[in-house]
Amino acid sequence: MSGVAVLIDHDRGVPSGGALEALTAARALACDLGVATEAVVLGDVTLFESHGAELTAACAAYGATTVHCGRHELLADYGPDAWGAALTSFLDASQPAAVVAAGTDRGAEAMAQLAARIDLPLVANCVSVSAGGEPWQITRIQWGGSLLEDVTLDTTLPLLTYAQHAIEAEQVPGDVVASEVVDFEPEVGAEARRTLVRDRVTLTEGITLSTSPVVVSGGRGVGSAEGFAQLEELAELLGGRVGCSRAVTNNGWRNHADQVGQTGTRIAPQIYIACGISGAIQHWVGAMGSKNILAINIDPEANMVTKAGYAVIADLHEVVPAISDEIRRRRDRPS
């Protein structure tokens, strides 16, 4: 039995924040089991030539002592069938104690593919895992984040995904030791071509909604698409991004790419400013990873207000411009 293997969810050579969180969580698992933490990276020859060194260094920085590199032409970009087949081949080349991944769209999809192919259970959206005895004791998010479920897992090969932002990504302390690189050639059939990324459309440049340290979101209370102009202004002053609730996208005021929530983007900014958002559970699931939440709402009983660390009970159309004016005033004030 080798170590705890972590699938590194990456986009053309750039590991996701979730992958680094999964590596951090896997270190604790590996310690419980008395094994090493290992990483699995999938790509083609070109990807490894251009990004292999950076990927390996990132894996080492977050605790992977070995990086297994699966190379195949159909792994040039993401495809669930291709990644599932490659992970199955990895199991043939290695005997991991467990396989884990981030609960991102890609991580969850690839792990579901693996579980189906080898006919083993997958425990998704874990927030804590105790592997010290038999069976494993696991707590995971259920019902869209509205409850935590305690489960036990008794299987020949544990397969897990960790809920996004449930664990803070932390590099290993002290000097980083370079990872050993082990290549393997996965068997990926031609049928994997059915589900491959063929083209991309760039919706945003720079920081994204999921990576922004500040998110200013609006809900139905903003009133119109034009009402988001003041939120855009505040977000620009704070160096952040603008998000929205599902009600806003349903009304056609903002693109779905801006939606925060269970069926949108899950965020974890330093501060989340929720303007005119009632805070339905689906929205809360996407926002609950925020370090601080400021709710601006006229309803003191709104779910977002009761859950927020800070709240202003007032009309957002008065409060948001006032905040922007104060930020500008302080910036213009002589030091």
Side-chain angles (χ1 to χ4, degrees):
M1 180 176 68
S2 60
V4 175
V6 182
L7 171 64
I8 303 303
D9 164 24
H10 68 89
D11 181 9
R12 293 163 290 177
V14 180
S16 70
L20 304 182
E21 293 169 4
L23 274 170
T24 302
R27 299 207 308 263
L29 268 185
C31 183
D32 286 346
L33 297 171
V35 297
T37 304
E38 304 183 0
V40 181
V41 180
L42 305 175
D44 66 350
V45 172
T46 301
L47 181 138
F48 283 107
E49 287 178 346
S50 57
H51 298 288
E54 293 92 335
L55 275 168
T56 302
C59 292
Y62 285 86
T65 59
T66 303
V67 179
H68 299 270
C69 298
R71 305 167 187 257
H72 193 281
E73 61 177 1
L74 293 182
L75 298 173
D77 210 326
Y78 175 70
D81 286 291
W83 279 38
L87 282 175
T88 304
S89 290
F90 166 71
L91 296 184
D92 295 334
S94 181
Q95 299 294 321
V99 182
V100 305
T104 58
D105 290 343
R106 291 185 176 189
E109 193 171 34
M111 290 295 288
Q113 278 270 348
L114 173 63
R117 289 169 183 268
I118 63 177
D119 196 24
L120 286 178
L122 168 66
V123 184
N125 291 322
C126 300
V127 295
S128 69
V129 180
S130 176
E134 294 288 347
W136 285 23
Q137 307 296 316
I138 300 172
T139 300
R140 66 173 179 170
I141 294 175
Q142 282 281 54
W143 290 96
S146 61
L147 63 84
L148 296 176
E149 178 186 41
D150 293 327
V151 299
T152 58
L153 177 63
D154 187 3
T155 180
T156 54
L157 177 64
L159 306 176
L160 314 169
T161 65
Y162 278 89
Q164 293 185 76
H165 313 309
I167 294 169
E168 191 81 23
E170 295 181 356
Q171 295 189 19
V172 293
D175 296 333
V176 176
V177 178
S179 301
E180 177 187 6
V181 177
V182 178
D183 292 334
F184 70 98
E185 296 182 8
E187 294 184 11
V188 181
E191 68 278 1
R193 298 180 184 275
R194 296 174 300 188
T195 53
L196 289 175
V197 173
R198 299 292 187 187
D199 195 11
R200 296 169 184 272
V201 176
T202 301
L203 297 178
T204 58
E205 297 288 352
I207 60 171
T208 64
L209 191 60
S210 62
T211 61
S212 178
V214 177
V215 175
V216 181
S217 273
R220 195 189 307 272
V222 176
S224 65
E226 293 72 23
F228 274 84
Q230 56 193 344
L231 274 64
E232 293 277 4
E233 180 183 25
L234 178 57
E236 183 177 356
L237 287 168
L238 295 173
R241 300 286 305 179
V242 171
C244 66
S245 67
R246 183 174 180 177
V248 168
T249 61
N250 286 346
N251 286 339
W253 299 347
R254 304 284 295 188
N255 190 286
H256 173 72
D258 295 336
Q259 182 184 325
V260 174
Q262 183 180 3
T263 56
T265 300
R266 300 193 182 203
I267 61 174
Q270 291 299 314
I271 184 166
Y272 180 51
I273 304 175
C275 307
I277 297 176
S278 61
I281 185 61
Q282 292 85 357
H283 185 83
W284 178 249
V285 169
M288 64 184 183
S290 305
K291 308 301 185 296
N292 298 282
I293 297 178
L294 167 63
I296 304 172
N297 205 301
I298 58 174
D299 181 6
E301 301 302 322
N303 189 51
M304 185 59 73
V305 172
T306 61
K307 290 180 177 293
Y310 308 90
V312 177
I313 309 304
D315 186 345
L316 71 90
H317 298 289
E318 298 177 0
V319 175
V320 172
I323 295 174
S324 296
D325 288 344
E326 180 63 15
I327 292 172
R328 282 192 292 267
R329 186 186 70 80
R330 294 194 180 197
R331 289 183 176 177
D332 294 340
R333 185 172 57 190
S335 57

